[in-house]
Amino acid sequence: MKLNSEQKRALVGPCFPLHFLVHPESRAVTRQQMEGFSDSAVFHRWMDLVWTLKEPEVIALLTPVEKEYLAEFNAVSESLCWLPIKSHPHISEVADEDLSKLVPSATRLLESLESRTRPPALHSWWRKAMSFCRLTGRD
């Protein structure tokens, strides 16, 4: 299914929290913006702000495989003990080691969404740039 620009935007939103989760080396800027919050709280906030994968019309844009990835991701997320932060009750967190349980399904979902929403040349360039950054320890 070829996506139009509005459909691509609907699928790009979830890439932000997924990228934050899957690529811990890229978290520095977000940590500065939400200083004092745990990674799981930052991730939860990203999910609250840009997670479109709860909307039926957006879920309808997913491939059957992506729907499986999303179901797996949701099942793991719902199994975690998310607790609201007292100072910010609209943001929840879990122990950071629990957050790592989401990484396998998040990785599969992110890679699939990115491959469908990025132009092919940019996607290839992006993957090479991210690999270089991981190898050199740069954010």
Side-chain angles (χ1 to χ4, degrees):
M1 165 198 252
K2 183 155 171 61
L3 301 172
N4 64 36
S5 60
E6 185 178 327
Q7 292 169 327
K8 282 185 181 181
R9 279 193 300 274
L11 293 178
V12 165
C15 291
F16 290 100
L18 291 171
H19 191 273
F20 178 85
L21 178 64
V22 171
H23 301 290
E25 69 279 1
S26 68
R27 296 178 184 172
V29 171
T30 308
R31 283 183 180 139
Q32 290 172 348
Q33 294 170 344
M34 290 187 69
E35 192 173 334
F37 287 89
S38 67
D39 284 349
S40 65
V42 173
F43 173 73
H44 184 269
R45 186 64 176 148
W46 271 110
M47 293 282 292
D48 184 49
L49 293 173
V50 297
W51 193 254
T52 57
L53 295 177
K54 59 185 172 256
E55 305 298 329
E57 60 273 11
V58 177
I59 294 171
L61 300 173
L62 299 177
T63 66
V65 171
E66 289 168 340
K67 288 177 183 176
E68 289 178 23
Y69 296 159
L70 178 61
E72 179 186 359
F73 177 85
N74 286 338
V76 174
S77 181
E78 290 167 10
S79 75
L80 299 178
C81 184
W82 293 95
L83 299 173
I85 297 173
K86 288 181 183 181
S87 61
H88 295 82
H90 58 284
I91 301 174
S92 294
E93 65 183 348
V94 296
D96 283 337
E97 60 271 6
D98 287 345
L99 194 62
S100 67
K101 295 175 184 176
L102 286 167
V103 172
S105 59
T107 300
R108 289 187 286 277
L109 184 57
L110 176 62
E111 288 175 356
S112 186
L113 292 175
E114 284 182 335
S115 72
R116 294 182 62 214
T117 58
R118 281 208 178 98
L122 180 59
H123 181 70
S124 174
W125 175 85
W126 179 258
R127 285 280 169 228
K128 288 177 186 173
M130 292 309 296
S131 293
F132 175 77
C133 288
R134 280 192 290 277
L135 289 173
T136 60
R138 298 179 185 169
D139 286 345

